[in-house]
Amino acid sequence: MRHLLRFYKNWALPISIAMGILIYLIYANIPMLHTCGPMLNEIVGFLQPTLIFGMLFLTFCKLKPSELKPCRWHIWDLLIQIGIYLILAYILITFPHIPGRLLIESAMICFICPTACAAAVVCAKLGGNTAHLTSYILLINMAAALFIPLIVPLVNPHEGQTFISTFLLVLQRVFPTLIFPLLLAWLIRYTMPRLSRQLQKTGDLAFYLWTIALTMAIAVTTRSIINSDVSLLYQLGIAITTLLCCWFQFTIGRRIGKRQDDQIAAGQAIGQKNTVFAIWMAYTFLTPVTAIAGGFYSVWHNIFNSYQLYKKRKEQQA
């Protein structure tokens, strides 16, 4: 049993990815399960944010408010994410009928999409600075809440879509799963210190909660890709586009962070994305078929995270 648990701990990410794909394929190929579809959607819709909330809450319990400080690489990561997003948006606004528009929209989503809340968990497993990464998660979510409403209505105008309405929609996605667990963790730290100390001793529980949430996310991603109406050629184009965006952001983030001996946090901050948010953003504000960009990016960044954790484990064993 001990060997089985150790195996799962070492290979939790690839196992979660494989399980997510397998679960959806089993569901898709057994017609009698299709009647349970609406109920399963409700279960996933409730469980996934609940698991993310719990994971973040446990992570934030281990951080002191005084540790959340801005640092120099925050500025560079923000400039890269927002700058490339604005350049791509300008191209789409200036040339609305440009060939390959879906690919440009997909890349735009990949850059403005905020950092995944789970990045703090992976950063901790890799030995990075969780406080610096958490500070960046807060910054990029605020930046996304500002720049998405400012630019997206110009890229893909919809009747009745205003800055305020879009801003409130984005804020509605951010607050429950990011700000609220942070505030709750700090409230418990200062009002119930004994409980706070116990919560700080939960070890890898946050990581295991994330692996369950990841399985669900990959199952939803698989459904999105398989059921997409996009031609196979465009799906391949979006897959390659998101792969390049993923590689670029992890690489440039780590190079920026290396100058300040913080390459793990800086790389995860810009490379690991909240792909559920990306899928929602595409469906809500852009061309809906670009939602599969978030799905493909989810696969790429989790494969990269699996590789990083494998390398870290080998280094520890050496």
Side-chain angles (χ1 to χ4, degrees):
M1 187 66 179
R2 187 183 301 172
H3 294 296
L4 187 62
L5 288 173
R6 186 183 304 160
F7 177 81
Y8 178 75
K9 185 177 180 180
N10 289 341
W11 299 98
L13 264 67
I15 289 172
S16 296
I17 293 171
M19 284 296 294
I21 295 171
L22 183 62
I23 286 170
Y24 179 75
L25 291 178
I26 290 172
Y27 166 81
N29 287 282
I30 301 179
M32 63 183 298
L33 293 177
H34 295 179
T35 56
C36 302
M39 182 184 68
L40 292 173
N41 278 334
E42 287 186 16
I43 292 172
V44 171
F46 170 77
L47 276 182
Q48 197 170 33
T50 302
L51 289 167
I52 292 172
F53 180 96
M55 172 197 71
L56 278 179
F57 172 68
L58 293 174
T59 302
F60 291 154
C61 281
K62 300 175 184 179
L63 295 176
K64 297 177 182 178
S66 59
E67 293 176 326
L68 300 184
K69 300 175 182 177
C71 57
R72 192 176 301 171
W73 66 257
H74 287 166
I75 299 172
W76 286 107
D77 275 15
L78 283 170
L79 285 174
I80 289 168
Q81 281 197 251
I82 297 169
I84 295 178
Y85 162 75
L86 291 176
I87 290 170
L88 294 172
Y90 176 78
I91 293 171
L92 292 176
I93 294 166
T94 308
F95 308 101
H97 304 294
I98 187 172
R101 180 183 175 90
L102 290 180
L103 302 183
I104 299 173
E105 278 193 26
S106 298
M108 192 175 76
I109 292 168
C110 291
F111 278 96
I112 197 56
C113 182
T115 308
C117 297
V121 178
V122 178
C123 184
K125 293 288 288 183
L126 293 171
N129 192 316
T130 308
H132 285 174
L133 178 58
T134 303
S135 300
Y136 187 81
I137 291 173
L138 296 172
L139 288 172
I140 189 57
N141 273 278
M142 288 188 287
L146 176 63
F147 282 94
I148 290 173
L150 278 175
I151 303 301
V152 165
L154 302 175
V155 173
N156 198 21
H158 289 289
E159 188 177 348
Q161 189 180 60
T162 64
F163 171 81
I164 296 297
S165 63
T166 309
F167 175 78
L168 291 175
L169 279 173
V170 174
L171 203 63
Q172 191 177 1
R173 298 287 300 189
V174 170
F175 185 84
T177 55
L178 177 63
I179 307 300
F180 188 52
L182 179 66
L183 296 177
L184 182 60
W186 288 351
L187 178 66
I188 290 175
R189 173 180 285 272
Y190 292 113
T191 60
M192 292 177 275
R194 184 177 296 179
L195 175 59
S196 180
R197 286 193 294 271
Q198 290 299 316
L199 291 169
Q200 291 171 33
K201 298 176 183 178
T202 52
D204 288 332
L205 179 58
F207 179 75
Y208 293 125
L209 290 178
W210 177 53
T211 61
I212 299 170
L214 176 60
T215 299
M216 295 181 183
I218 292 296
V220 173
T221 293
T222 305
R223 181 186 66 181
S224 175
I225 293 171
I226 290 177
N227 295 331
S228 173
D229 294 329
V230 184
S231 69
L232 186 60
L233 184 62
Y234 253 116
Q235 284 199 40
L236 180 61
I238 292 174
I240 294 171
T241 299
T242 53
L243 175 60
L244 292 174
C245 290
C246 183
W247 170 81
F248 173 80
Q249 289 181 97
F250 269 113
T251 302
I252 197 70
R254 290 178 69 87
R255 287 185 180 178
I256 290 169
K258 192 174 183 179
R259 299 175 183 176
Q260 299 164 59
D261 195 28
D262 206 5
Q263 62 177 352
I264 294 172
Q268 295 305 123
I270 194 172
Q272 188 172 345
K273 301 292 187 180
N274 182 350
T275 52
V276 174
F277 181 94
I279 293 169
W280 169 81
M281 177 183 165
Y283 273 126
T284 308
F285 304 120
L286 296 168
T287 310
V289 294
T290 57
I292 63 171
F296 279 120
Y297 199 101
S298 176
V299 174
W300 305 139
H301 79 188
N302 281 302
I303 288 174
F304 187 74
N305 281 336
S306 300
Y307 174 68
Q308 290 188 105
L309 290 169
Y310 170 77
K311 281 185 64 180
K312 181 69 177 180
R313 188 167 64 252
K314 284 295 182 183
E315 289 171 7
Q316 292 172 341
Q317 293 172 352

